[in-house]
Amino acid sequence: MTALAHVPTSAGQPPPPPSPRRGRHRLLPYLLLLPGAVWLLVFFALPLVQLASASLYDPAGSLSTGYAMTWAVDNYPDALQAYWPQFLRSFLYAGIALVLALLMGYPLAYAIAQKAGRWKNLLLVAVVAPMFTSFLVRTLAWKTILSDNGALVGLLRDVHLLGPDGRLLATPIAVVLGLTYNFLPFLVLPLYASLERLDSRLLEAAGDLYASPLRAFTKVTLPLSMPGLIAGTLLFFIPATGDYINAELLGTPNEYMIGNVIDSAFLVRLDYPQGAALSFLLMAAILAIVFVYLRKAGTEDVL
């Protein structure tokens, strides 16, 4: 009979000390997280603290005379009272652009994921390819497309959808179209990732149970694509709300969003307390909307 490989210790004998190798394995995940944590601390957390302190500076100060920390909490209601139309306009434009992107992006993502076949990779490249160029260049291209002498405006005038002096450029329509185009890939790619994993046999089973195509979509396809839909809508809506390039190039001051006001406060008027206060108000509003949206979507655990 062979000897037992392991003999249990007696009740009074202390357990063996932990292996140093096991301790190193436990620390390995934290060591892997360390570079990312340091990056976020240096380039996100510390600037955020500095921005928060700047929002409480004395608004009477300037770059030449310096700013005094007076804990001026009134900077927040004063900034909101002065620029609440730009706040509302930002969320309105981003919301309309999101609806347009969903109407175009969901069918596109579904077609690529389920119907494209051997053309799938090519269509994915076509979705991502515009992002290989500068955001500014893409927006300037839309300025050319929507120009008063462009082919699009001429066609709309010929079919009487625009009047003889009608125009698209320098209107809210141009800003919304620019937002929709520039951020559409951020919506399509997460949706594609969810729809690509959809098992077509589930749709066949729904058909065997006499579900109409619409009912199969609402009961099978849409619920299974919700993770990608939620991620895509957030990735679209958040940057679209804070964008200022589209309103700057495709609109007029009447179409300016809150991002344009923040840009002007920091770089033109050099009013750092007001710019910082507006930035925090925008972040707070977006976080509140995201929180409500995730709760309504039934994803409280994400928070």
Side-chain angles (χ1 to χ4, degrees):
M1 181 181 295
T2 58
L4 293 176
H6 173 70
V7 178
T9 58
S10 60
Q13 187 175 358
S19 171
R21 186 175 180 181
R22 181 179 299 177
R24 287 195 296 269
H25 282 304
R26 290 179 179 177
L27 291 176
L28 183 59
Y30 300 100
L31 294 176
L32 293 175
L33 290 173
L34 184 60
V38 172
W39 178 276
L40 288 175
L41 176 65
V42 174
F43 295 104
F44 178 75
L46 293 180
L48 196 64
V49 172
Q50 177 61 32
L51 189 68
S53 63
S55 69
L56 300 174
Y57 286 163
D58 183 2
S62 65
L63 287 180
S64 58
T65 61
Y67 289 100
M69 172 55 76
T70 58
W71 302 97
V73 183
D74 290 340
N75 289 338
Y76 286 90
D78 291 345
L80 185 60
Q81 183 178 5
Y83 296 107
W84 65 266
Q86 285 80 2
F87 266 104
L88 295 181
R89 190 178 299 130
S90 297
F91 289 105
L92 177 62
Y93 286 178
I96 296 174
L98 177 59
V99 173
L100 292 177
L102 284 172
L103 293 176
M104 294 184 293
Y106 200 105
L108 176 60
Y110 183 86
I112 296 175
Q114 297 293 324
K115 306 296 183 181
R118 61 192 180 95
W119 301 101
K120 181 182 297 186
N121 293 335
L122 180 62
L123 291 174
L124 282 176
V125 171
V127 171
V128 180
M131 301 181 68
F132 295 165
T133 60
S134 168
F135 189 95
L136 184 61
V137 172
R138 284 181 278 146
T139 309
L140 287 172
W142 269 95
K143 189 172 183 179
T144 302
I145 294 171
L146 301 175
S147 64
D148 295 342
N149 298 323
L152 178 60
V153 171
L155 175 63
L156 293 178
R157 288 172 179 171
D158 291 340
V159 298
H160 303 290
L161 291 177
L162 282 178
D165 298 326
R167 61 186 321 211
L168 293 177
L169 193 62
T171 65
I173 295 175
V175 178
V176 170
L177 290 177
L179 291 172
T180 305
Y181 168 77
N182 279 307
F183 297 107
L184 183 62
F186 295 105
L187 176 68
V188 172
L189 293 179
L191 271 173
Y192 164 79
S194 288
L195 291 169
E196 199 271 337
R197 295 193 295 267
L198 180 65
D199 192 346
S200 60
R201 293 176 297 180
L202 296 175
L203 299 177
E204 295 175 1
D208 292 340
L209 295 173
Y210 303 101
S212 65
L214 177 61
R215 188 168 180 82
F217 172 77
T218 57
K219 295 298 183 180
V220 179
T221 305
L222 184 60
L224 292 178
S225 65
M226 280 302 293
L229 182 62
I230 292 172
T233 52
L234 292 179
L235 289 174
F236 183 101
F237 182 78
I238 292 173
T241 304
D243 179 72
Y244 67 96
I245 296 295
N246 288 278
E248 180 75 29
L249 297 180
L250 303 178
T252 66
N254 293 328
E255 286 80 42
Y256 275 4
M257 301 165 66
I258 194 60
N260 301 94
V261 179
I262 295 173
D263 172 71
S264 176
F266 278 113
L267 301 180
V268 179
R269 294 182 283 109
L270 303 180
D271 190 348
Y272 282 21
Q274 186 182 77
L278 288 170
S279 300
F280 264 88
L281 287 172
L282 178 61
M283 284 190 288
I286 290 177
L287 285 175
I289 291 174
V290 170
F291 180 80
V292 172
Y293 174 65
L294 291 177
R295 286 186 63 88
K296 292 294 184 180
T299 56
E300 296 92 337
D301 294 337
V302 174
L303 301 176

